[in-house]
Amino acid sequence: IMPSLVGSEMCIRDRDRIAENVIYKRELNHSYMVLPCQDKDMAERYDYRIMQHNRIGGLLPCSLRYLDGEELLYYDITSRQPLARLYESRRMKAADLERIIRDTAVVQAQLGEYMLDESGVLLEEEVIFADVETGELYFAFYPGGLQIGRQYTELADFFLEHIDHGQEQAVNLASVSYTHLRAHETRHDL
């Protein structure tokens, strides 16, 4: 079931998961993840303009398009796979988990250099992408952020569900990351 892009019924804040609002499009040699804009005049937002005028490492390239009166964010996901698909049939090793945690922290730190709020980084396994050749992670940044309350906990749950439980180092790292991600989320809820 694909959500409609026409009309104002779609409000991401009312959904449990960002991924429920994602539409995938293919155009010539490019693939896109498309999210509807919550607010009108996205092009006027400071954080959107910063994204357009700077190449911020670790963020998916993003462009604003208009279709039937709706503003849509197109994220270029060409040659990238979502984490959810990467770990459908294989288990996450400690090195995989370390890379994901490190890349997440690096992206969030870089946002500060551009005065962008880390709440704009979408942290669901369906919308975090890995380059199929290099393994480098890319994150979607939603200008203005989305008020999805349990992003950190759900990402930690994904780690716990997909780690290699036979690898003690992976289990320990997943447990520690779960504790830290929960604490981070709790600070944001205050």
Side-chain angles (χ1 to χ4, degrees):
I1 296 175
M2 301 283 275
S4 169
L5 293 177
V6 180
S8 59
E9 306 86 42
M10 182 178 295
C11 178
I12 295 176
R13 289 175 201 253
D14 295 338
R15 304 288 184 157
D16 289 335
R17 307 266 304 154
I18 295 161
E20 293 176 13
N21 296 284
V22 168
I23 294 176
Y24 294 94
K25 290 196 172 206
R26 194 162 184 69
E27 295 178 359
L28 297 176
N29 297 326
H30 291 278
S31 297
Y32 297 95
M33 175 181 74
V34 181
L35 280 173
C37 296
Q38 289 180 187
D39 304 316
K40 296 289 183 201
D41 302 321
M42 180 64 77
E44 302 304 316
R45 291 190 57 87
Y46 163 81
D47 42 5
Y48 175 76
R49 290 194 319 260
I50 289 294
M51 282 178 40
Q52 292 308 295
H53 296 293
N54 298 281
R55 177 66 186 119
I56 302 171
L59 293 185
L60 290 167
C62 179
S63 62
L64 181 64
R65 298 188 189 180
Y66 300 89
L67 178 66
D68 297 328
E70 294 288 323
E71 292 184 357
L72 307 168
L73 289 173
Y74 275 62
Y75 296 90
D76 188 347
I77 58 169
T78 306
S79 299
R80 298 178 178 110
Q81 293 291 319
L83 283 184
R85 188 169 305 140
L86 287 176
Y87 295 104
E88 274 178 343
S89 59
R90 71 179 179 104
R91 291 285 161 202
M92 194 179 294
K93 303 288 186 196
D96 299 325
L97 188 53
E98 287 171 353
R99 178 182 43 82
I100 294 166
I101 293 168
R102 181 186 63 244
D103 288 357
T104 303
V106 166
V107 164
Q108 289 179 328
Q110 286 181 6
L111 293 176
E113 295 174 23
Y114 295 93
M115 295 189 301
L116 297 173
D117 190 335
E118 74 177 56
S119 69
V121 177
L122 305 183
L123 294 176
E124 289 181 14
E125 64 274 11
E126 296 93 346
V127 298
I128 300 172
F129 290 82
D131 184 292
V132 293
E133 291 179 15
T134 66
E136 183 179 356
L137 292 186
Y138 290 89
F139 298 83
F141 181 85
Y142 191 94
L146 293 174
Q147 301 302 316
I148 306 297
R150 293 183 33 88
Q151 278 196 110
Y152 289 102
T153 301
E154 289 176 2
L155 184 60
D157 288 341
F158 174 78
F159 294 161
L160 290 174
E161 292 169 13
H162 291 84
I163 60 163
D164 180 348
H165 291 276
Q167 189 183 37
E168 184 178 347
Q169 184 182 5
V171 172
N172 291 338
L173 187 56
S175 177
V176 169
S177 69
Y178 184 85
T179 302
H180 286 287
L181 289 170
R182 292 267 326 200
H184 190 274
E185 187 167 85
T186 301
R187 282 194 308 269
H188 274 72
D189 289 341
L190 296 178

mmCIF file of all heavy atoms in Angstrom, residues 70-86:
data_model
loop_
_atom_site.group_PDB
_atom_site.id
_atom_site.type_symbol
_atom_site.label_atom_id
_atom_site.label_comp_id
_atom_site.label_asym_id
_atom_site.label_seq_id
_atom_site.Cartn_x
_atom_site.Cartn_y
_atom_site.Cartn_z
ATOM 1 N N GLU A 70 1.685 19.680 -3.985
ATOM 2 C CA GLU A 70 2.346 19.160 -2.776
ATOM 3 C C GLU A 70 3.851 19.356 -2.886
ATOM 4 O O GLU A 70 4.433 19.190 -3.948
ATOM 5 C CB GLU A 70 2.061 17.664 -2.601
ATOM 6 C CG GLU A 70 0.619 17.328 -2.323
ATOM 7 C CD GLU A 70 0.174 17.713 -0.937
ATOM 8 O OE1 GLU A 70 0.967 17.578 0.013
ATOM 9 O OE2 GLU A 70 -0.972 18.156 -0.804
ATOM 10 N N GLU A 71 4.474 19.692 -1.755
ATOM 11 C CA GLU A 71 5.926 19.773 -1.681
ATOM 12 C C GLU A 71 6.453 18.411 -1.239
ATOM 13 O O GLU A 71 5.963 17.843 -0.262
ATOM 14 C CB GLU A 71 6.369 20.844 -0.688
ATOM 15 C CG GLU A 71 6.056 22.247 -1.132
ATOM 16 C CD GLU A 71 6.587 23.305 -0.174
ATOM 17 O OE1 GLU A 71 7.169 22.956 0.881
ATOM 18 O OE2 GLU A 71 6.422 24.485 -0.489
ATOM 19 N N LEU A 72 7.450 17.920 -1.963
ATOM 20 C CA LEU A 72 8.013 16.601 -1.684
ATOM 21 C C LEU A 72 9.526 16.687 -1.590
ATOM 22 O O LEU A 72 10.170 17.371 -2.390
ATOM 23 C CB LEU A 72 7.643 15.616 -2.803
ATOM 24 C CG LEU A 72 6.163 15.506 -3.138
ATOM 25 C CD1 LEU A 72 5.973 14.740 -4.437
ATOM 26 C CD2 LEU A 72 5.432 14.835 -2.006
ATOM 27 N N LEU A 73 10.098 15.979 -0.621
ATOM 28 C CA LEU A 73 11.545 15.880 -0.515
ATOM 29 C C LEU A 73 11.992 14.586 -1.186
ATOM 30 O O LEU A 73 11.517 13.500 -0.834
ATOM 31 C CB LEU A 73 11.982 15.890 0.953
ATOM 32 C CG LEU A 73 11.829 17.229 1.660
ATOM 33 C CD1 LEU A 73 12.131 17.078 3.147
ATOM 34 C CD2 LEU A 73 12.729 18.280 1.040
ATOM 35 N N TYR A 74 12.884 14.717 -2.153
ATOM 36 C CA TYR A 74 13.436 13.574 -2.883
ATOM 37 C C TYR A 74 14.858 13.347 -2.384
ATOM 38 O O TYR A 74 15.717 14.209 -2.542
ATOM 39 C CB TYR A 74 13.488 13.869 -4.381
ATOM 40 C CG TYR A 74 12.214 13.587 -5.124
ATOM 41 C CD1 TYR A 74 11.039 14.254 -4.829
ATOM 42 C CD2 TYR A 74 12.195 12.636 -6.141
ATOM 43 C CE1 TYR A 74 9.864 13.999 -5.526
ATOM 44 C CE2 TYR A 74 11.026 12.370 -6.842
ATOM 45 C CZ TYR A 74 9.875 13.058 -6.528
ATOM 46 O OH TYR A 74 8.719 12.799 -7.220
ATOM 47 N N TYR A 75 15.091 12.186 -1.793
ATOM 48 C CA TYR A 75 16.421 11.807 -1.320
ATOM 49 C C TYR A 75 17.005 10.824 -2.319
ATOM 50 O O TYR A 75 16.393 9.795 -2.633
ATOM 51 C CB TYR A 75 16.331 11.136 0.057
ATOM 52 C CG TYR A 75 15.805 12.052 1.137
ATOM 53 C CD1 TYR A 75 14.437 12.137 1.408
ATOM 54 C CD2 TYR A 75 16.672 12.831 1.888
ATOM 55 C CE1 TYR A 75 13.954 12.973 2.395
ATOM 56 C CE2 TYR A 75 16.189 13.676 2.889
ATOM 57 C CZ TYR A 75 14.827 13.739 3.127
ATOM 58 O OH TYR A 75 14.348 14.562 4.112
ATOM 59 N N ASP A 76 18.206 11.123 -2.815
ATOM 60 C CA ASP A 76 18.857 10.261 -3.803
ATOM 61 C C ASP A 76 19.452 9.044 -3.090
ATOM 62 O O ASP A 76 20.371 9.162 -2.280
ATOM 63 C CB ASP A 76 19.946 11.029 -4.534
ATOM 64 C CG ASP A 76 20.537 10.258 -5.701
ATOM 65 O OD1 ASP A 76 20.295 9.025 -5.824
ATOM 66 O OD2 ASP A 76 21.255 10.872 -6.508
ATOM 67 N N ILE A 77 18.900 7.871 -3.399
ATOM 68 C CA ILE A 77 19.366 6.625 -2.771
ATOM 69 C C ILE A 77 19.984 5.684 -3.808
ATOM 70 O O ILE A 77 20.097 4.481 -3.569
ATOM 71 C CB ILE A 77 18.221 5.923 -2.004
ATOM 72 C CG1 ILE A 77 17.040 5.610 -2.933
ATOM 73 C CG2 ILE A 77 17.807 6.773 -0.807
ATOM 74 C CD1 ILE A 77 16.005 4.702 -2.320
ATOM 75 N N THR A 78 20.410 6.238 -4.934
ATOM 76 C CA THR A 78 21.020 5.441 -5.996
ATOM 77 C C THR A 78 22.216 4.665 -5.458
ATOM 78 O O THR A 78 23.065 5.211 -4.761
ATOM 79 C CB THR A 78 21.462 6.369 -7.152
ATOM 80 O OG1 THR A 78 20.334 7.153 -7.563
ATOM 81 C CG2 THR A 78 21.991 5.563 -8.324
ATOM 82 N N SER A 79 22.269 3.378 -5.747
ATOM 83 C CA SER A 79 23.350 2.467 -5.325
ATOM 84 C C SER A 79 23.460 2.335 -3.810
ATOM 85 O O SER A 79 24.531 2.080 -3.271
ATOM 86 C CB SER A 79 24.693 2.900 -5.903
ATOM 87 O OG SER A 79 24.657 2.882 -7.300
ATOM 88 N N ARG A 80 22.346 2.520 -3.126
ATOM 89 C CA ARG A 80 22.335 2.379 -1.672
ATOM 90 C C ARG A 80 21.196 1.457 -1.257
ATOM 91 O O ARG A 80 20.153 1.422 -1.901
ATOM 92 C CB ARG A 80 22.170 3.750 -1.011
ATOM 93 C CG ARG A 80 23.319 4.689 -1.334
ATOM 94 C CD ARG A 80 23.115 6.059 -0.719
ATOM 95 N NE ARG A 80 24.241 6.915 -1.005
ATOM 96 C CZ ARG A 80 24.193 7.958 -1.829
ATOM 97 N NH1 ARG A 80 23.070 8.280 -2.428
ATOM 98 N NH2 ARG A 80 25.264 8.688 -2.039
ATOM 99 N N GLN A 81 21.400 0.746 -0.159
ATOM 100 C CA GLN A 81 20.399 -0.166 0.387
ATOM 101 C C GLN A 81 20.081 0.226 1.826
ATOM 102 O O GLN A 81 20.984 0.586 2.578
ATOM 103 C CB GLN A 81 20.913 -1.616 0.386
ATOM 104 C CG GLN A 81 21.115 -2.216 -0.975
ATOM 105 C CD GLN A 81 19.793 -2.443 -1.685
ATOM 106 O OE1 GLN A 81 18.825 -2.883 -1.075
ATOM 107 N NE2 GLN A 81 19.753 -2.120 -2.972
ATOM 108 N N PRO A 82 18.814 0.112 2.226
ATOM 109 C CA PRO A 82 18.495 0.427 3.626
ATOM 110 C C PRO A 82 19.052 -0.634 4.576
ATOM 111 O O PRO A 82 19.192 -1.807 4.214
ATOM 112 C CB PRO A 82 16.967 0.439 3.650
ATOM 113 C CG PRO A 82 16.538 -0.325 2.459
ATOM 114 C CD PRO A 82 17.635 -0.227 1.442
ATOM 115 N N LEU A 83 19.377 -0.207 5.795
ATOM 116 C CA LEU A 83 19.887 -1.152 6.800
ATOM 117 C C LEU A 83 18.942 -2.333 6.974
ATOM 118 O O LEU A 83 19.391 -3.466 7.137
ATOM 119 C CB LEU A 83 20.055 -0.452 8.156
ATOM 120 C CG LEU A 83 21.251 0.446 8.363
ATOM 121 C CD1 LEU A 83 21.269 0.962 9.803
ATOM 122 C CD2 LEU A 83 22.541 -0.261 8.043
ATOM 123 N N ALA A 84 17.643 -2.060 6.961
ATOM 124 C CA ALA A 84 16.668 -3.138 7.151
ATOM 125 C C ALA A 84 16.871 -4.246 6.134
ATOM 126 O O ALA A 84 16.796 -5.435 6.474
ATOM 127 C CB ALA A 84 15.248 -2.592 7.072
ATOM 128 N N ARG A 85 17.140 -3.898 4.899
ATOM 129 C CA ARG A 85 17.337 -4.908 3.852
ATOM 130 C C ARG A 85 18.694 -5.591 3.986
ATOM 131 O O ARG A 85 18.815 -6.794 3.765
ATOM 132 C CB ARG A 85 17.209 -4.277 2.464
ATOM 133 C CG ARG A 85 17.223 -5.353 1.372
ATOM 134 C CD ARG A 85 16.832 -4.853 0.008
ATOM 135 N NE ARG A 85 15.546 -4.193 0.048
ATOM 136 C CZ ARG A 85 15.251 -3.077 -0.616
ATOM 137 N NH1 ARG A 85 16.161 -2.504 -1.384
ATOM 138 N NH2 ARG A 85 14.061 -2.538 -0.541
ATOM 139 N N LEU A 86 19.706 -4.830 4.379
ATOM 140 C CA LEU A 86 21.043 -5.418 4.526
ATOM 141 C C LEU A 86 21.071 -6.531 5.570
ATOM 142 O O LEU A 86 21.826 -7.495 5.442
ATOM 143 C CB LEU A 86 22.062 -4.353 4.920
ATOM 144 C CG LEU A 86 22.478 -3.370 3.846
ATOM 145 C CD1 LEU A 86 23.412 -2.329 4.442
ATOM 146 C CD2 LEU A 86 23.146 -4.075 2.683
#
